[in-house]
Amino acid sequence: MSFMKTLKVIGGAVAASAVVACSSPQPSMMNISQVLLEPDGREVVINAQVIQRLDEGRFLVADPTGQINVEVDRELLGEIEVLPGTNLRVVGEVDRDSAGTELDAERVQILP
């Protein structure tokens, strides 16, 4: 192999590894029954409908496969009032403990 071909191969490998190292995995779109099987700390995305407001910043949401509690910090919602029947897209982290499994929201979007 010539010196220039070697440089091209090495340069391409370095560039490819830099792209892999810089890009973090995107959270997976899942239904609630799938989320309930995920390990603690896994970042996921769900589309669900609010069933009930449990308390300040906590909601019970559902999709056709199940239900899960979602904890949402006030600053994520701003002045938006979330009522039962509101459709949401939630990007969050699975929080699994002795009380059960919930989703800690990192981003929330109101869907039509």
Side-chain angles (χ1 to χ4, degrees), residues 29-43:
M29 177 67 77
M30 296 185 177
N31 61 43
I32 291 174
S33 66
Q34 292 170 312
V35 170
L36 293 171
L37 299 174
E38 289 298 312
D40 187 55
R42 173 73 48 93
E43 192 174 36

Side-chain angles (χ1 to χ4, degrees), residues 88-106:
L88 302 174
R89 174 167 293 146
V90 179
V91 178
E93 192 173 283
V94 175
D95 182 16
R96 195 177 279 285
D97 60 25
S98 61
T101 301
E102 40 176 57
L103 194 56
D104 288 336
E106 296 168 355

Side-chain angles (χ1 to χ4, degrees), residues 4 11 17 22 37 42 66 70 89 92 99:
M4 289 306 288
S17 65
C22 292
L37 299 174
R42 173 73 48 93
V70 175
R89 174 167 293 146

Side-chain angles (χ1 to χ4, degrees), residues 2-47:
S2 74
F3 180 71
M4 289 306 288
K5 283 185 180 178
T6 303
L7 282 178
K8 284 182 183 177
V9 170
I10 292 172
V14 169
S17 65
V19 169
V20 171
C22 292
S23 60
S24 60
Q26 295 298 312
S28 300
M29 177 67 77
M30 296 185 177
N31 61 43
I32 291 174
S33 66
Q34 292 170 312
V35 170
L36 293 171
L37 299 174
E38 289 298 312
D40 187 55
R42 173 73 48 93
E43 192 174 36
V44 299
V45 181
I46 63 168
N47 289 341

